[in-house]
Amino acid sequence: MLKADVAVIGAGAAGLSLAHRLNGPGGPAPSVILVDAPPGPLRPAPRTWCYWESGRGRFDAAVRSQWRHLRVRPPAGAAIEGDITPLRYKMIRSDDFEALVAHDLAHSPNVRRLEATVDTVEEAPSGPRVSMTRPDGTSDVIEARWVFDSRPLGSLPAARTTVLQHFHGWFVRTARPVFDRGTAELMDFRTPQPAHGLSFGYVLPTGPREALVEYTEFSPHVLTETGYEAALRHYAADVLALGDLEVLATETGLIPMTDAPLPQRVGASVFRIGAAGGATRPSTGYTFAGLQRQTRAVASALRQGRDPVPPAAHSVRSRTMDAVLLRALDSGRVDGPALFCRLFTRVPAARLLRFLDGRTNLIEDLAVGRHAPVGPMLRTAVELPRLPRRPFP
């Protein structure tokens, strides 16, 4: 039996971030075992995480590129451009992040990494026990004081509204210089809109001939592989007119945007962190900044000898506004492209990003909210408490 103060299950963004924060200076460091899934279906494919912050950040060494200009394009008409100074929109590739944290943990005296498939997490009189199977088929157990589980949920809790954000992207190199490296295309609504939900293109240029180009939908159902390829091919060729290009790599993702409650505490000493613990902002799908708030608070509590209950990554007010927005979009009362374009036109970009990150006060929230369609949003807010929560199909 292995023993540790802390067991962290899953070596994705949340698990790695917590292990990273528990390593090094900053007070007494607990002993940590980080359990990573063996190569295979339980280990996520390489992916991209984006977030915004001002100045230098903790993970800048892993940042692939960053931008201070954002662009939103309506279905027709002039583009909306904004300077987000003092913020920067930053992109991290998961491989780079994993390499950064692995280097940090390589000679750590208090953090041990191992590969195993976690079978069960159970409470015992002596503390939680993590039962797992090693790649060679042998069984093992970790007995810990605290367990932090970052694995994806097997199924979504019942919700009043759940919308799927799903996307497919290409890392491309074009034959000619076509990208503006200084500007990220955050939402390009010149894509064909689905019958239910909304779609947009997303372009993160890393050079005049290189970029991540994605097709994204907010809708109830994912597309087929052929459907994603066709949508992305149309966006790259017919909308962006990129011309000849080489696809260097691909990524596909699915982010549930839901008003379902996602509790952080699931046992006396067992907690969920990351997307499984509510780090995803329901209205946007952004997760990286939320899980950093969670893991920073957990690490601080552990070092100070306090109960390390992960805080909610987003305030009650933010989650309430998100629930109203999700319902308004899902019911068709609000035109998604028109709403987002209106907000980016009338609200300074840096303030809008702070609003989307839950870092604005009540007065600022009201100032942003007055640019939304008031009637449909109020009607949705009134009906929301009466709606039943149902399992997602």
Side-chain angles (χ1 to χ4, degrees):
M1 180 179 294
L2 305 171
K3 292 182 178 289
D5 297 320
V6 175
V8 180
I9 304 174
L16 288 172
S17 296
L18 181 55
H20 172 77
R21 292 179 182 278
L22 290 173
N23 184 49
S31 58
V32 180
I33 296 178
L34 174 62
V35 184
D36 192 6
L42 295 180
R43 182 177 289 190
R47 55 225 177 273
T48 302
W49 301 313
C50 290
Y51 59 102
W52 46 87
E53 65 181 350
S54 59
R56 290 191 55 80
R58 187 183 188 101
F59 303 113
D60 275 4
V63 169
R64 184 72 63 92
S65 198
Q66 56 184 295
W67 304 268
R68 66 183 181 90
H69 286 98
L70 298 183
R71 183 182 293 128
V72 174
R73 293 185 183 272
I80 306 153
E81 303 204 23
D83 187 319
I84 63 173
T85 302
L87 300 176
R88 293 292 184 272
Y89 190 70
K90 299 182 177 183
M91 176 180 78
I92 286 182
R93 289 288 290 155
S94 59
D95 288 349
D96 297 331
F97 185 74
E98 290 163 10
L100 174 70
V101 176
H103 181 268
D104 174 63
L105 301 180
H107 304 291
S108 171
N110 65 300
V111 180
R112 175 183 176 184
R113 298 188 67 172
L114 58 85
E115 286 188 355
T117 300
V118 171
D119 302 311
T120 60
V121 179
E122 299 175 333
E123 299 275 4
S126 57
R129 295 163 61 99
V130 179
S131 300
M132 56 192 181
T133 303
R134 301 278 198 146
D136 62 4
T138 59
S139 298
D140 216 336
V141 174
I142 301 172
E143 190 173 87
R145 175 69 182 89
W146 309 102
V147 173
F148 297 89
D149 193 345
S150 67
R151 294 173 298 171
L153 297 175
S155 60
L156 293 175
R160 291 167 299 198
T161 310
T162 297
V163 176
L164 301 180
Q165 179 182 158
H166 48 105
F167 53 88
H168 182 62
W170 292 339
F171 288 87
V172 303
R173 179 181 293 127
T174 57
R176 54 190 176 85
V178 293
F179 299 114
D180 173 7
R181 184 172 185 175
T183 302
E185 300 269 359
L186 195 66
M187 288 179 157
D188 184 347
F189 292 109
R190 294 177 296 172
T191 54
Q193 296 301 308
H196 190 115
L198 61 90
S199 74
F200 56 89
Y202 180 59
V203 182
L204 300 182
T206 56
R209 296 174 52 227
E210 294 83 27
L212 168 61
V213 179
E214 286 191 352
Y215 172 81
T216 300
E217 276 194 18
F218 294 180
S219 61
H221 306 291
V222 299
L223 305 183
T224 63
E225 182 178 345
T226 302
Y228 285 120
E229 286 290 325
L232 190 49
R233 194 160 44 248
H234 167 77
Y235 180 58
D238 300 335
V239 178
L240 297 179
L242 297 184
D244 293 337
L245 58 83
E246 177 186 4
V247 177
L248 306 176
T250 66
E251 70 171 24
T252 302
L254 172 65
I255 303 171
M257 302 165 65
T258 177
D259 68 355
L262 295 170
Q264 288 77 49
R265 190 169 209 153
V266 292
S269 303
V270 180
F271 308 98
R272 289 198 182 108
I273 56 173
T280 301
R281 182 73 195 262
S283 62
T284 65
Y286 285 97
T287 304
F288 193 82
L291 68 85
Q292 294 308 326
R293 289 193 285 271
Q294 280 188 337
T295 55
R296 182 170 55 243
V298 167
S300 177
L302 284 166
R303 287 180 177 277
Q304 295 173 28
R306 297 183 283 110
D307 277 8
V309 182
H314 308 287
S315 69
V316 172
R317 188 170 75 245
S318 294
R319 297 197 305 272
T320 300
M321 291 187 295
D322 287 353
V324 173
L325 176 61
L326 286 177
R327 175 64 182 172
L329 290 173
D330 191 50
S331 65
R333 287 190 185 129
V334 169
D335 180 283
L339 170 63
F340 288 114
C341 289
R342 184 173 179 175
L343 291 177
F344 274 95
T345 299
R346 301 188 180 186
V347 181
R351 182 188 303 168
L352 185 56
L353 290 184
R354 288 193 300 108
F355 170 79
L356 294 176
D357 208 21
R359 294 183 178 275
T360 45
N361 58 39
L362 177 60
I363 300 301
E364 290 174 310
D365 289 348
L366 292 173
V368 173
R370 70 187 179 89
H371 297 297
V374 177
M377 299 297 272
L378 283 177
R379 195 161 80 234
T380 302
V382 169
E383 80 166 4
L384 205 60
R386 302 194 301 269
L387 294 176
R389 295 186 181 274
R390 295 188 174 93
F392 187 72

